[in-house]
Structures are given as structure tokens and as C-alpha cells.
Amino acid sequence: VTRVLTGAILVALSLFVIGLAPAWLFWLLLSLTAVLASTELARVLDGMERPAWPWLATAGVLGTMGSFVAGGPPLSLVLTALLIAVFLRTVVSRSPPNEASSRVASSLLFALYLGLTFGHIGALHGAGGGSFRGQGPLLFAIASVYVGDIAAFYGGRAFGRRRLAPSVSPGKTWEGAACGVIGAVVAAWTCERLSVVDYGASGAAVLGVLVGVAGIAGDLAESMLKRAGRIKDSGALLPGHGGVLDRLDSLLFAAPVVYWADRVLASAL
Amino acid sequence: VTRVLTGAILVALSLFVIGLAPAWLFWLLLSLTAVLASTELARVLDGMERPAWPWLATAGVLGTMGSFVAGGPPLSLVLTALLIAVFLRTVVSRSPPNEASSRVASSLLFALYLGLTFGHIGALHGAGGGSFRGQGPLLFAIASVYVGDIAAFYGGRAFGRRRLAPSVSPGKTWEGAACGVIGAVVAAWTCERLSVVDYGASGAAVLGVLVGVAGIAGDLAESMLKRAGRIKDSGALLPGHGGVLDRLDSLLFAAPVVYWADRVLASAL
């Protein structure tokens, strides 16, 4: 019950923020969410005994996201500055070389795994055309991912037999994954019918497949990290839902897919 | 003697390629050099027992460099595709989660440490104004870095007392580093006087300091990685000079500094 209630509140709150908040407020809340996700990733990497420098890593996430804001600094500049800063940090810290190298790799991981993906979620906000005040593509991504997630969960429970990735996520099956992709396609197609997006029926269906697969990949990616860090839930912020990263893992990989497909389809039409 | 001879051949060859080769040939040779550097970095990471997937990592380096070519794909697209590909690779490999996470971080490191830096070297080629057919800023970076390197070496031998980073590179001293920065400033100022670049005397001097410091940071960064990988030279390709990475480490961090300073100064003038 807690789980369903928290879920309902999250959905209502997210739709409210996405649909009605001005762009700056959306980016602000997205940045706060990314900072929470960064603290969760830091815990996971600590569990692997490959800690990052959390402040520098979080700065990398926010800087990377900043390059997705209109008028922001170029991504190549942000990442190169981060690269040099992280290496300089190792010189200052005087840690042994092996530990220092490990911290470099861990700290840089944040910018790519969280900065790029949250950045694409931000870029999707307002990326669309006329309908839904430009929020169509983001709503499309969210609907496809979460309908896919739910379909994968119940489909796996009903039909699941062959395991998808036993060492990472023993509960997941190929049958569940297939149901997830079908769910994502149905959601994508429904969004198209409701004019949330304007990709055409076949465009929406193909994109639904891609989003379904990307969502599963995102879920497995986070499961792998958590398992390597010997942590079950990335956090306990959301009652019954684990942490922010647990809730958003599928969307992190699906949002870039929708963003670039949207760009391609927009220039093709 | 081998060392000096190889050095002279390298300098002549580099100047020839930079000054006279068409842009496509320069990029081709730069890409081959980056691939060699990638194999050296792969060896270093193997030595740390944190191996990458070398093919995927090298593809990430070349893709990242490609985003610096005019008309190339956006860096955000290249890196996100790499991120998802690397995580998908872990699912296919079915390695244990801890090893898989380690490979993810190692594989992504290539795109940032080699892709971004070699990409900036490529972007510097042809970035300049009228004199030296646009090759001025790249020649400026190379001259400042290597005069700085040589000044640091001999200055350190003559005056070196206090160690700069004992755990990483025991031979380096603060006195040597100071000589290196002075050498870089002298080279930068000379380039300005010879109209290789057009930054003004004070602009060139300030940039000389930044290049000197970035060069030392690049050198220490590579030393740290090699020491963590328990490897002395990154390779044995260049007689008396170690590997490609040993020769270019300082330039890798200095080139982005020159590139962005050049952009800032160009828009200010």
C-alpha cells in the first residue's frame, strides 16, 4: 500500500512539475534529483571499495547537465576541465597511485552515467513541437518507460521462465523483458494516438521498441552497479520504491534514445 | 644518442605533417597515434587489474575525436551511445558484477582521457588565423610544452631539492617544475614575437604559465597511471622515448588549455 501510495504521489508530482512548472524550476528540481542520485551512486561505489571524490564527481554531474541548457558551456569544455581537475586532485591528495587511479575512474563515471543522462532528460523538456507546450517527448518517454516497467514486472511473474541476467538480477526473465517491450510499444502508440507526440504510428511503434530495450538496459546497468556494491536499494528516500536511482534507472537510458530519435524525426518531417 | 636522434626525427616529422599535410591526412595520422595510445593505456589498466574492453574503448576514443571534426556527430550523442554500449556489453559478457563495473569505468576512461585530449589537438590544427596557415596555435602549444619539458628536466637536475609528487614520480621537484613553467613562458613569448600566434605579449606569457602547469599535470597524470599499472614505459615504439603516451602526456592536457584560451582571445580581439 505504501508503495502504491508513494507511486501515485510521485506520478502526480512529476506530471505537475513537467506540465506546469517553468523551465528554470524544472531544471532546478532535476538538478536536485541528480544530486540525490549522485549521493546514491557514491554509496554504491563505496560499497565496491572504489570510492570517488564525491564533491568533484557531483560538480561534474551538474556541469555536464549545464551543457544541455541553452546557452550553457560546451560539453567538450566541461568534461576536459573535469578530467584535468580530477587528475590534479590526485596530485594534491597524495594517495597511493593505485587508489588514486581508481578514484579518477570512479569520479569521471558520474559525469557520464548521471550527467549525460539527466542532461538528456532536461533537454527533452521543452524539446517538442506545439502540443503539450513542448513537453510531449518527455511525457512520451516517461509513459513508455513506466508502462514497460510495469508490463515487464507482471509479465515476468505470469510467464517468466528463462533468466535474462542471472548474475545481475535473478528475478528478470526473457519473457518479462518481452512483455516490457510490448508494454512500451502500446504506451508509445497510445501517446501518438493522443497527439502527445507526432512521430506517426510506425515511428512511435519503432521508438517504443527502442525505449523498451533501453529501459531494460538501464535497469540492468543500475542492478549491476548495486550488486557490485553489495547494496540492495540505492537509497531509502521513497517509501517502498528505494532510492532516486532505483526509480529513474530505466528512464536514464531511455531519455537519450527518445531525444535523438525526436531530433531525427523532427528533421525528417 | 638514440634518444636525441629519435627526438630529432620525431620533431622533423611532426612539423612536416602539421605544416604541410592536408587536414584529412593530419586527422588520419592523429587517429592512428590515438589508437596506439589506446593500446598503451589498455596495457596500463591491465597492469592495474582493471582491464577495459579494448575494442569498445578504442571505438570510444575515435568516436569522441570524431565529434571534434567539423560536421562530426555531437559529443553528447557519441558519449551517450558509448555509455549504453559499454553497459550492454556487461550484460552480454555475463562477468561477475564487480568485474563488470570495473570494466565499465575503465572502458569509459579512454574516451575522456584520450578521446577528448586528442580531439582538442585535432581541433587546434587549423584553428588559427592567417599566419602559418592556421597551424599557429598548435605549433605554439607544442613549442611551449616541449621547451617546458626540457627546461623542467635540466632545471630539476641542476636545482632540484624538494620533491613534487614523491609517490608518483620521485624524480620530479618543485624547482624543476618552476624551471619548466619559465621555459614554457619563454617559448610562448618567442612564438608571439615570431608571429606564430597573435595573443599579445602579456596574453602569450599568461598562456605560457597555464601551458607549463597543464603540461606538468599531464605528465604527472600519466606517471600516476603507469605507476598504478606497475609499468615503467607505456610502450617501446620510440627508441629512447618509451611509448606514444610517454611522449604526448604533457601535450594532452596542454592542448585543450591552448584551444579554449585561443577561442577566448579570438573573440575578445
Side-chain angles (χ1 to χ4, degrees):
Chain A
V1 176
T2 322
R3 185 179 159 83
V4 173
L5 192 66
T6 315
I9 293 171
L10 279 179
V11 168
L13 209 65
S14 307
L15 287 180
F16 182 77
V17 168
I18 292 166
L20 297 175
W24 66 266
L25 184 59
F26 177 80
W27 273 103
L28 181 67
L29 294 171
L30 189 67
S31 303
L32 290 174
T33 312
V35 170
L36 287 174
S38 299
T39 63
E40 294 177 5
L41 182 59
R43 280 211 321 133
V44 168
L45 289 165
D46 284 349
M48 279 184 221
E49 283 163 40
R50 278 200 280 277
W53 285 294
W55 288 104
L56 206 50
T58 305
V61 171
L62 293 176
T64 302
M65 287 175 73
S67 78
F68 286 85
V69 180
L75 181 59
S76 55
L77 175 59
V78 170
L79 290 178
T80 309
L82 176 69
L83 176 79
I84 296 178
V86 167
F87 271 109
L88 281 177
R89 181 74 182 75
T90 69
V91 176
V92 178
S93 78
R94 297 182 176 262
S95 341
N98 199 44
E99 191 201 316
S101 306
S102 174
R103 282 198 187 249
V104 165
S106 290
S107 302
L108 292 174
L109 182 63
F110 283 68
L112 298 181
Y113 179 52
L114 297 179
L116 285 179
T117 51
F118 275 98
H120 276 99
I121 294 175
L124 263 185
H125 187 257
S131 56
F132 288 85
R133 298 172 58 244
Q135 266 54 288
L138 181 54
L139 293 172
F140 172 88
I142 292 173
S144 307
V145 162
Y146 288 104
V147 172
D149 264 7
I150 293 166
F153 180 75
Y154 288 103
R157 235 168 43 172
F159 312 115
R161 301 187 59 184
R162 282 166 302 161
R163 287 184 170 178
L164 178 62
S167 66
V168 167
S169 200
K172 292 207 179 57
T173 57
W174 281 100
E175 292 79 8
C179 291
V181 172
I182 293 168
V185 171
V186 170
W189 185 80
T190 308
C191 284
E192 166 67 28
R193 296 293 301 180
L194 296 173
S195 298
V196 176
V197 287
D198 189 24
Y199 299 150
S202 52
V206 170
L207 196 41
V209 173
L210 294 176
V211 166
V213 172
I216 294 165
D219 194 343
L220 288 176
E222 201 236 349
S223 299
M224 186 196 75
L225 292 173
K226 281 193 301 189
R227 194 154 281 250
R230 296 191 198 83
I231 282 171
K232 197 179 167 296
D233 285 336
S234 67
L237 188 76
L238 313 172
H241 286 254
V244 166
L245 215 44
D246 295 319
R247 200 78 316 264
L248 292 179
D249 52 6
S250 308
L251 187 62
L252 291 184
F253 281 15
V257 170
V258 173
Y259 177 80
W260 291 104
D262 184 74
R263 291 275 296 257
V264 169
L265 289 166
S267 64
L269 294 175
Chain B
V1 176
T2 322
R3 185 178 159 84
V4 174
L5 192 68
T6 316
I9 293 172
L10 280 179
V11 168
L13 208 66
S14 307
L15 288 180
F16 182 77
V17 168
I18 292 166
L20 297 175
W24 67 266
L25 184 58
F26 176 80
W27 273 103
L28 181 66
L29 293 171
L30 189 68
S31 303
L32 290 174
T33 312
V35 170
L36 286 174
S38 299
T39 63
E40 295 177 4
L41 182 59
R43 280 211 320 135
V44 168
L45 290 164
D46 283 350
M48 280 185 222
E49 284 164 37
R50 279 200 281 276
W53 285 294
W55 288 103
L56 206 49
T58 306
V61 171
L62 293 176
T64 302
M65 288 176 72
S67 78
F68 285 85
V69 181
L75 181 59
S76 56
L77 175 59
V78 169
L79 290 178
T80 309
L82 177 69
L83 175 80
I84 297 179
V86 167
F87 271 109
L88 281 177
R89 181 72 183 73
T90 69
V91 176
V92 177
S93 79
R94 297 180 173 266
S95 341
N98 199 42
E99 189 201 315
S101 306
S102 174
R103 282 197 187 251
V104 164
S106 289
S107 302
L108 292 174
L109 182 64
F110 283 68
L112 298 182
Y113 179 53
L114 297 179
L116 285 180
T117 51
F118 275 98
H120 275 99
I121 294 176
L124 263 185
H125 186 259
S131 56
F132 288 86
R133 298 172 59 243
Q135 266 54 287
L138 181 54
L139 293 173
F140 173 87
I142 291 173
S144 308
V145 163
Y146 289 105
V147 172
D149 264 7
I150 292 165
F153 181 74
Y154 289 103
R157 232 162 50 166
F159 312 116
R161 299 185 60 182
R162 283 166 302 161
R163 288 184 169 177
L164 180 61
S167 66
V168 167
S169 199
K172 293 209 176 56
T173 58
W174 281 99
E175 292 78 10
C179 291
V181 172
I182 293 169
V185 170
V186 170
W189 185 80
T190 309
C191 283
E192 166 68 27
R193 298 292 301 177
L194 296 173
S195 298
V196 176
V197 289
D198 189 24
Y199 300 149
S202 52
V206 170
L207 196 42
V209 174
L210 295 177
V211 166
V213 173
I216 293 165
D219 194 342
L220 287 176
E222 201 236 351
S223 299
M224 186 197 74
L225 293 173
K226 281 193 301 190
R227 194 155 281 253
R230 296 192 198 83
I231 281 171
K232 196 180 168 295
D233 286 337
S234 67
L237 187 76
L238 313 172
H241 286 254
V244 166
L245 215 45
D246 294 319
R247 201 78 312 268
L248 293 179
D249 52 7
S250 308
L251 187 63
L252 292 184
F253 281 15
V257 170
V258 174
Y259 178 81
W260 290 104
D262 183 75
R263 290 275 296 257
V264 169
L265 289 165
S267 65
L269 294 175

mmCIF file of all heavy atoms in Angstrom, chain A residues 191-207:
data_model
loop_
_atom_site.group_PDB
_atom_site.id
_atom_site.type_symbol
_atom_site.label_atom_id
_atom_site.label_comp_id
_atom_site.label_asym_id
_atom_site.label_seq_id
_atom_site.Cartn_x
_atom_site.Cartn_y
_atom_site.Cartn_z
ATOM 1 N N CYS A 191 0.356 7.197 -26.886
ATOM 2 C CA CYS A 191 0.789 8.600 -26.853
ATOM 3 C C CYS A 191 0.629 9.243 -28.230
ATOM 4 O O CYS A 191 0.200 10.393 -28.347
ATOM 5 C CB CYS A 191 2.258 8.699 -26.426
ATOM 6 S SG CYS A 191 2.522 8.452 -24.669
ATOM 7 N N GLU A 192 0.990 8.504 -29.250
ATOM 8 C CA GLU A 192 0.849 9.009 -30.617
ATOM 9 C C GLU A 192 -0.630 9.276 -30.935
ATOM 10 O O GLU A 192 -0.975 10.338 -31.465
ATOM 11 C CB GLU A 192 1.449 7.983 -31.587
ATOM 12 C CG GLU A 192 1.110 8.161 -33.037
ATOM 13 C CD GLU A 192 1.695 9.415 -33.650
ATOM 14 O OE1 GLU A 192 2.752 9.879 -33.167
ATOM 15 O OE2 GLU A 192 1.080 9.954 -34.598
ATOM 16 N N ARG A 193 -1.499 8.336 -30.566
ATOM 17 C CA ARG A 193 -2.933 8.495 -30.836
ATOM 18 C C ARG A 193 -3.502 9.697 -30.091
ATOM 19 O O ARG A 193 -4.407 10.359 -30.587
ATOM 20 C CB ARG A 193 -3.710 7.230 -30.398
ATOM 21 C CG ARG A 193 -3.354 5.982 -31.156
ATOM 22 C CD ARG A 193 -3.765 6.035 -32.593
ATOM 23 N NE ARG A 193 -5.219 6.222 -32.752
ATOM 24 C CZ ARG A 193 -5.841 6.298 -33.919
ATOM 25 N NH1 ARG A 193 -5.155 6.254 -35.036
ATOM 26 N NH2 ARG A 193 -7.153 6.446 -33.973
ATOM 27 N N LEU A 194 -2.988 9.964 -28.893
ATOM 28 C CA LEU A 194 -3.479 11.087 -28.082
ATOM 29 C C LEU A 194 -2.784 12.394 -28.466
ATOM 30 O O LEU A 194 -2.929 13.402 -27.769
ATOM 31 C CB LEU A 194 -3.241 10.805 -26.592
ATOM 32 C CG LEU A 194 -3.993 9.616 -25.987
ATOM 33 C CD1 LEU A 194 -3.530 9.364 -24.561
ATOM 34 C CD2 LEU A 194 -5.510 9.867 -26.018
ATOM 35 N N SER A 195 -1.972 12.353 -29.533
ATOM 36 C CA SER A 195 -1.255 13.548 -30.015
ATOM 37 C C SER A 195 -0.272 14.118 -28.989
ATOM 38 O O SER A 195 0.030 15.307 -29.007
ATOM 39 C CB SER A 195 -2.230 14.648 -30.451
ATOM 40 O OG SER A 195 -3.022 14.185 -31.512
ATOM 41 N N VAL A 196 0.211 13.275 -28.070
ATOM 42 C CA VAL A 196 1.278 13.725 -27.169
ATOM 43 C C VAL A 196 2.539 13.996 -27.982
ATOM 44 O O VAL A 196 3.289 14.931 -27.719
ATOM 45 C CB VAL A 196 1.558 12.659 -26.075
ATOM 46 C CG1 VAL A 196 2.717 13.067 -25.196
ATOM 47 C CG2 VAL A 196 0.301 12.426 -25.252
ATOM 48 N N VAL A 197 2.764 13.123 -28.968
ATOM 49 C CA VAL A 197 3.873 13.324 -29.914
ATOM 50 C C VAL A 197 3.328 13.136 -31.327
ATOM 51 O O VAL A 197 2.179 12.726 -31.523
ATOM 52 C CB VAL A 197 5.024 12.320 -29.684
ATOM 53 C CG1 VAL A 197 5.803 12.649 -28.433
ATOM 54 C CG2 VAL A 197 4.481 10.898 -29.654
ATOM 55 N N ASP A 198 4.167 13.409 -32.286
ATOM 56 C CA ASP A 198 3.730 13.422 -33.683
ATOM 57 C C ASP A 198 4.736 12.638 -34.522
ATOM 58 O O ASP A 198 5.303 13.149 -35.470
ATOM 59 C CB ASP A 198 3.656 14.890 -34.143
ATOM 60 C CG ASP A 198 3.000 14.987 -35.510
ATOM 61 O OD1 ASP A 198 2.242 14.066 -35.855
ATOM 62 O OD2 ASP A 198 3.282 15.969 -36.221
ATOM 63 N N TYR A 199 4.978 11.380 -34.137
ATOM 64 C CA TYR A 199 6.005 10.584 -34.807
ATOM 65 C C TYR A 199 5.410 9.678 -35.888
ATOM 66 O O TYR A 199 6.155 8.953 -36.548
ATOM 67 C CB TYR A 199 6.758 9.710 -33.796
ATOM 68 C CG TYR A 199 7.479 10.476 -32.709
ATOM 69 C CD1 TYR A 199 7.665 9.918 -31.452
ATOM 70 C CD2 TYR A 199 7.994 11.759 -32.950
ATOM 71 C CE1 TYR A 199 8.342 10.612 -30.455
ATOM 72 C CE2 TYR A 199 8.656 12.455 -31.948
ATOM 73 C CZ TYR A 199 8.824 11.879 -30.707
ATOM 74 O OH TYR A 199 9.495 12.557 -29.723
ATOM 75 N N GLY A 200 4.089 9.672 -36.059
ATOM 76 C CA GLY A 200 3.443 8.696 -36.933
ATOM 77 C C GLY A 200 3.334 7.352 -36.214
ATOM 78 O O GLY A 200 4.118 7.063 -35.295
ATOM 79 N N ALA A 201 2.336 6.533 -36.612
ATOM 80 C CA ALA A 201 2.079 5.266 -35.904
ATOM 81 C C ALA A 201 3.299 4.358 -35.957
ATOM 82 O O ALA A 201 3.719 3.796 -34.941
ATOM 83 C CB ALA A 201 0.860 4.566 -36.499
ATOM 84 N N SER A 202 3.933 4.227 -37.129
ATOM 85 C CA SER A 202 5.065 3.306 -37.223
ATOM 86 C C SER A 202 6.286 3.874 -36.499
ATOM 87 O O SER A 202 7.018 3.142 -35.837
ATOM 88 C CB SER A 202 5.396 2.995 -38.687
ATOM 89 O OG SER A 202 5.554 4.200 -39.407
ATOM 90 N N GLY A 203 6.489 5.192 -36.601
ATOM 91 C CA GLY A 203 7.599 5.818 -35.871
ATOM 92 C C GLY A 203 7.462 5.591 -34.377
ATOM 93 O O GLY A 203 8.431 5.232 -33.696
ATOM 94 N N ALA A 204 6.241 5.789 -33.861
ATOM 95 C CA ALA A 204 6.022 5.608 -32.425
ATOM 96 C C ALA A 204 6.250 4.152 -32.022
ATOM 97 O O ALA A 204 6.831 3.886 -30.960
ATOM 98 C CB ALA A 204 4.602 6.045 -32.055
ATOM 99 N N ALA A 205 5.819 3.221 -32.868
ATOM 100 C CA ALA A 205 5.974 1.802 -32.532
ATOM 101 C C ALA A 205 7.451 1.415 -32.481
ATOM 102 O O ALA A 205 7.901 0.758 -31.537
ATOM 103 C CB ALA A 205 5.228 0.939 -33.550
ATOM 104 N N VAL A 206 8.209 1.834 -33.505
ATOM 105 C CA VAL A 206 9.648 1.524 -33.528
ATOM 106 C C VAL A 206 10.340 2.133 -32.315
ATOM 107 O O VAL A 206 11.138 1.488 -31.627
ATOM 108 C CB VAL A 206 10.296 2.041 -34.835
ATOM 109 C CG1 VAL A 206 11.819 1.949 -34.755
ATOM 110 C CG2 VAL A 206 9.775 1.266 -36.029
ATOM 111 N N LEU A 207 9.982 3.402 -32.030
ATOM 112 C CA LEU A 207 10.588 4.069 -30.889
ATOM 113 C C LEU A 207 10.181 3.375 -29.584
ATOM 114 O O LEU A 207 10.983 3.299 -28.644
ATOM 115 C CB LEU A 207 10.179 5.545 -30.895
ATOM 116 C CG LEU A 207 10.983 6.500 -30.036
ATOM 117 C CD1 LEU A 207 12.466 6.225 -30.102
ATOM 118 C CD2 LEU A 207 10.688 7.931 -30.464
#
